[in-house]
Amino acid sequence: MKRRRFVQKLLAAPAIPLVAAAAQEAPKPPLAPPPGNPTAQRTPQQGQAAPRLDTVAADVACEPDRSYFTPEQFAALEKLGDILVPPLKGRPGARDAHAPEFLDFLLSVSPADRQGLYRHGLNGLNAEAKKKFHRLFSELDSQEADEILRPLFVARPWDQDYPADPVKKFVAQVHEDLRSATMNSREWAESLAGDRQRGRGFGRGAAYYWKPIDPVVRS
Amino acid sequence: MPIKEYDVLIVGSGHSGGMAANRLTASGISCLMLNAGPEADYEKDRTLKHAYELPYRGFKQPGRLPHVFQANEFNANQWVDEKEVPYTHPEDAPYNWVRVRLLGGRSLFWARQSFRLSDFEFKAADIDGTGENWPISLADLAPFYSRVEEIFRVTGRKEGWPQFPDGNFVETTFPPDTETIKKFTEVATKRGIGVSKWRNALGQNGLASSINLLLPDALETGKLDIVENAIVREISVDKNTGLASGAHFVDRHSLREMHVKAKVVVLAAGTLESTRLLLNSKLANSSGVMGRYLVDQMYGVSVVASVPEARDGKARPGLMGGSAFIPRFRNLTKDDKRNFIKGYCVSIGSGGGASPNLFPLYGAELQAKLDSYEGSCVSGGIFGERVARFENHVRINKDVKDAYGIPVLHIEARDTDNERNLRRDAADTIEGLFKEAGWEIVGKTDEVNPPGYSIHEVGTCRMGNDPKKSVLNKWCQSHDIKNLFVVDGASFVTAGWQNPTMTILALSMRASEYLAEQIKQRNI
Ligand SMILES: Cc1cc2nc3c(=O)[nH]c(=O)nc-3n(C[C@H](O)[C@H](O)[C@H](O)COP(=O)(O)OP(=O)(O)OC[C@H]3O[C@@H](n4cnc5c(N)ncnc54)[C@H](O)[C@@H]3O)c2cc1C
């Protein structure tokens, strides 16, 4: 604060004496550009004059770049998606919803402790698969994967209460995240709405989103 | 030279500030309201979206708002950004401080549960044998509660129970109880536990806020000016008289520093922001208890049961659905001897499904379980009273400043055995009732969210008759500086198990009318 006040003081102090400044003062630009000025910005008075066009989300049209997990970690995450959140009852599974790719992005921007939980957890699953079956977790069949996963699941009557064991905690977290990433996906919403229409048609599952309200812009 | 001179400066525009403006302007007193944030435009600032259309697919931006468990990506922009206005707490004692700086404050979003405190809270020291009584009783506040309930259009069922004072309710017809709610009521009543209904503020058009119920009338008088984006950093004092003379504030956008003069200052910045402002101004703390006795409620304890005859698609409307509400029933008489003082209320909901977290399963097996339990569950949770303790406090952390250079709060609140014993009793009691009803327990925990989570933080400038033990008198007026009032939840002596807003509104109404009278009589 003090520093900022100091800077403000500097700015407030005129660099040249006021009288001289007045003499040098350039003529003020006119408030509005003169009519017919070819460089003046022109914009319609009425907002409705500009039509709203349909756009699509980037991941409808484009492949995300994966950047965060190693190929082995990512393969384990995809495998977890297949096992924990498979397609059921006409709803997409984690892989259909591109949940692993989304989590790859989410984890790339997550705090260090969450990143550590994931990396340690995925590496732990791979290590356990190698120890038990001499293969990567992604290469196990569902029975083998179940043998590793089942003992890692615990009931959690209190949502905030994660197991202390880091691999069990990871399994609880990744299960929750894969479910949410799947159920929040476009594919899921479309399966609910029963129509594959894109764009601005709001089916079920939409909610009010608050945009930044009168945000402060600081350079 | 300021363009206008005001009688009263009001800091904050939520329920408490809105009520102060409403009552003061009704008496012809000119007011300036400064509010830290902007006005939200419900048309322009809010839009329908699917989670997948948001940058983080409905997960909020990682690391953002770590203490606001209520935040998600849809509503993240409505809360105060913790990076912009941070606070600190000991590592082993997390505190969730949930704030809104928009015009209208938290009144834009509150859940509208509306209860009166009873003399079990106002005169708690007499019942608990410890702590302090309030300097007022229910009889003092009852006429104000009645008027607030009328403005906010509160619904409720009258019971005539002293721990659950009836209000001035709008006519309500409650739908008939479903079989599960009837069964639960029967089991609880047999144990002497009274079962009632929720009490809710209907407001108008789905909004029960200062911006629609209190401020429009105040503006209509022509006696109120509101300045948005005005962040008050300090109360100013007249050196000659020692009285409050106005406030220094900073414009949120330009960071321009400003000052406003007023004959009276009314703080309504939402409990802890009012206290922070006073502590930063180094004012009104001759008692030394400013910042002390921070208290709120425990939200949590969860017991989930499944009604066997409603499983596997057999949950019909007459069987499942509906809710029940049990007001405090513990420690109401001297011979109710428990290993804790105070009490809790229980909220019962019927007809939901089970959370996937309750089962150590995944994939198709989990889905089959969820399908089987869908619609068959009854859940119970509590709002439990915490004890107002000297040790639980806020103070200024000089080492950390917010984006406006204002020193932040350090918040320190811990539970003790009283809280832990209370919630164990709650979990066991709800479990016992569910079992007696013949239901299968699917999940039970006596865990609660961190302090502050309830968004009902009160205390830290408590009221009292003794200036050595309290910051405010019974009119929410500073003992030390007679033209300084604090009309939000900071004046609370005890929290009760009740949601606080009806009491905040009634206290603000009472204090503001007292202030108007004092101004008229030229006592202030
Ligand atoms: C999601 C949610 C659900 C809730 N449910 C319930 C419920 O069911 N029942 C119930 O009783 N209560 C409930 N509450 C709590 C209730 O909203 C609050 O008790 C009540 O609104 C507090 O009003 P207030 O005026 O004291 O404070 P606030 O609403 O917090 O208003 C404070 C105002 O002060 C302004 N301010 C702060 N600092 C400064 C500063 N330095 N300078 C200028 N202005 C400042 C802010 O901009 C804000 O507008 C809920 C709250 C939330 C968020």
Side-chain angles (χ1 to χ4, degrees), chain A residues 1 83-84 89 97 102 146 150 153 155-156 159 181 184 186 202 204 206-207 209-212 214 218, chain B residues 38 44-50 52 56-57 62 74 77-78 229 252-253 357-358 362-363 365 371 404:
Chain A
M1 188 62 225
I83 296 173
L84 305 186
K89 297 170 63 183
F102 170 74
D146 185 70
R150 195 164 289 260
F153 269 79
R156 289 190 300 130
D159 282 2
N184 288 355
R186 178 175 53 85
F202 293 113
R204 290 173 59 188
Y209 165 71
W210 281 98
K211 301 177 203 170
D214 189 17
R218 299 211 206 289
Chain B
K44 289 205 193 103
D45 294 330
R46 212 175 59 150
T47 175
L48 267 179
K49 277 202 190 270
H50 282 285
Y52 67 82
Y56 301 95
R57 211 182 261 204
F74 286 93
N77 290 315
Q78 80 192 30
N229 295 314
R252 182 173 148 260
H253 283 289
N357 297 341
L358 291 175
Y362 57 85
E365 219 179 327
D371 289 347
Y404 308 95

